[in-house]
Amino acid sequence: MLSTVLRRTCTAGSSGRPVGGTAALHMCRSPQASSLALAAGVAGRSCRAAFNTQSSSSSSSLSLNNLSDNPGAKTERTRVGRGCGSGKGKTAGRGMNGQKKRSSVNIPQGFEGGQTPLHRRLPKTGFKNIWAEPLTPLHVGELQNWVDMGRLSVPPNRLVTMKDLVDAGLFKANKIKHGIKLLARGGEHVHTPIHLEVSRASAAAIEAVEKVGGTITCVHFNRLALRALLKPEAFVVPVLGEGGEVEERLQLPRRARPPPKLMPLYLDSDRRGYLSPEVQMRNRTLFGGQVTSERVPELAHE
């Protein structure tokens, strides 16, 4: 490009014929020719830079011949025992001697070399009562919410049992392990009289229910009696009928008496125990002679 500019500059202005010799050399050394040559050089460099940029961008595009892992994604395996120059020779990074230098080492977790480990140096605190029977809590406010939603019906002439609460969806049958205890949270919202049969009840919960005309009866349930209440279909047994045909009959076991440790609780009328004379007289008057929801099996009368 520079030679082309020089040739065009060294051409006669009016005649258009080339000028040769000393005149041509003098014209090429003029300031006008020098500026034109500088402009031609700058244009050439910019063209070469644009070409190089286009070439590098085309070469950096993703293709099958330049696929590779990210830097640092793959590391070479450390080869040990290959001379001291590698830094992992001789002892291969395992130290001089000791148990961990050998292969197939199985050191138990928490082993401290033979000294008393930490979990044995610390003192024991507390205990777990293997005879505890935790009760499932139920608050009277939650019970009233289910009544207001229409999900729990309140019969006026019988007790609402734990089976009714399970059928309404308040609990799952397998979540009630030892019974239900009625608590008083939300007692200011109770306005429906309900006759409830539970395992235990707090004094505030009893007051909240009886204030609106309801009653509380605390009944003892062992594991067998609780299973018979919540899953009576498990006690349907085949019985040979009078005509020689096999019939299915519901035979529920009798409920066990409370153990001596719990007997004072269910004899206390203030805690609404079902064995107290006051609670028995009240329930017989309200529910037609029935104290609890227990159904006496037919075999007991034979």
Side-chain angles (χ1 to χ4, degrees), residues 21-291:
T22 307
L25 181 61
H26 178 72
M27 292 179 65
C28 291
R29 290 178 178 176
S30 63
Q32 183 180 3
S34 300
S35 61
L36 290 174
L38 181 60
V42 173
R45 286 194 298 271
S46 63
C47 291
R48 285 193 300 271
F51 177 77
N52 294 335
T53 304
Q54 183 179 3
S55 302
S56 62
S57 62
S58 61
S59 62
S60 62
S61 60
L62 184 63
S63 59
L64 292 177
N65 63 336
N66 59 8
L67 291 176
S68 63
D69 292 326
N70 294 329
K74 183 178 180 181
T75 57
E76 295 294 334
R77 181 178 64 89
T78 302
R79 300 174 71 243
V80 298
R82 296 297 185 270
C84 60
S86 64
K88 295 291 183 182
K90 195 189 175 202
T91 56
R94 288 176 176 255
M96 295 299 293
N97 288 307
Q99 185 180 8
K100 290 185 178 180
K101 182 178 179 181
R102 275 67 183 176
S103 60
S104 304
V105 176
N106 186 15
I107 300 178
Q109 185 178 6
F111 182 71
E112 300 181 9
Q115 71 178 11
T116 306
L118 179 65
H119 69 274
R120 293 182 59 190
R121 293 197 300 267
L122 298 178
K124 296 180 180 180
T125 58
F127 71 100
K128 181 179 179 181
N129 185 7
I130 62 174
W131 307 108
E133 296 181 353
L135 301 176
T136 304
L138 172 63
H139 296 276
V140 292
E142 184 180 3
L143 187 66
Q144 183 62 55
N145 289 338
W146 283 69
V147 174
D148 294 340
M149 288 187 294
R151 302 185 63 177
L152 177 64
S153 60
V154 181
N157 55 354
R158 71 173 182 88
L159 292 169
V160 176
T161 65
M162 289 183 282
K163 172 66 173 173
D164 298 325
L165 303 180
V166 171
D167 294 340
L170 265 168
F171 302 100
K172 291 184 178 180
N174 58 355
K175 297 299 182 181
I176 304 176
K177 302 296 184 181
H178 302 281
I180 291 178
K181 182 173 183 178
L182 191 66
L183 301 177
R185 189 169 65 188
E188 65 275 8
H189 304 296
V190 177
H191 57 83
T192 302
I194 181 173
H195 306 291
L196 198 62
E197 180 188 75
V198 291
S199 300
R200 312 269 178 87
S202 65
I206 293 173
E207 181 183 0
V209 173
E210 293 182 350
K211 187 191 304 183
V212 296
T215 59
I216 298 292
T217 304
C218 295
V219 182
H220 172 71
F221 290 91
N222 60 359
R223 297 299 295 269
L224 180 62
L226 193 61
R227 185 166 179 259
L229 175 67
L230 300 179
K231 297 181 179 180
E233 63 275 4
F235 296 87
V236 176
V237 296
V239 178
L240 188 63
E242 297 180 356
E245 299 179 354
V246 178
E247 301 176 354
E248 290 186 350
R249 185 177 301 177
L250 181 65
Q251 294 186 354
L252 297 176
R254 294 297 300 269
R255 294 180 183 175
R257 288 274 182 170
K261 184 178 180 180
L262 298 178
M263 185 64 74
L265 188 149
Y266 293 104
L267 286 172
D268 190 0
S269 61
D270 294 336
R271 308 178 77 171
R272 303 303 184 265
Y274 73 110
L275 296 179
S276 64
E278 294 85 355
V279 173
Q280 289 189 356
M281 293 179 59
R282 183 199 64 187
N283 288 6
R284 285 195 177 98
T285 304
L286 293 176
F287 310 122
Q290 191 174 3
V291 178

